[in-house]
Amino acid sequence: MNPELKSQIESQAIWTFPECIALAAEFGLKPRFVVAMIMMLGRTYQDGDAGSYRNTDQAPFEN
């Protein structure tokens, strides 16, 4: 693995999809490889708003 890539991944705990795209473009890699490396190095990959909801007054599935 590229030591510079590893260093950049270890520089933050949580990575989002747009950040993975940018990192992949910077190193000429596929985004899925970057996501795999993030997870392999024990960092968190957060895909969009997974696990959250906008209205905090209601339960997530309440209409």
Side-chain angles (χ1 to χ4, degrees), residues 6-44:
K6 183 178 178 184
S7 175
Q8 282 199 15
I9 290 173
E10 290 177 338
S11 71
Q12 66 187 66
I14 300 173
W15 288 86
T16 62
F17 184 70
E19 292 171 326
C20 291
I21 294 289
L23 197 58
E26 181 179 339
F27 286 93
L29 302 169
K30 292 187 181 249
R32 64 180 169 225
F33 177 79
V34 172
V35 171
M37 297 308 304
I38 287 168
M39 295 171 74
M40 186 186 87
L41 292 171
R43 301 302 187 214
T44 301

Side-chain angles (χ1 to χ4, degrees), residues 37-58:
M37 297 308 304
I38 287 168
M39 295 171 74
M40 186 186 87
L41 292 171
R43 301 302 187 214
T44 301
Y45 170 66
Q46 182 176 348
D47 188 12
D49 290 332
S52 67
Y53 51 94
R54 299 198 189 285
N55 188 349
T56 58
D57 295 336
Q58 297 179 345

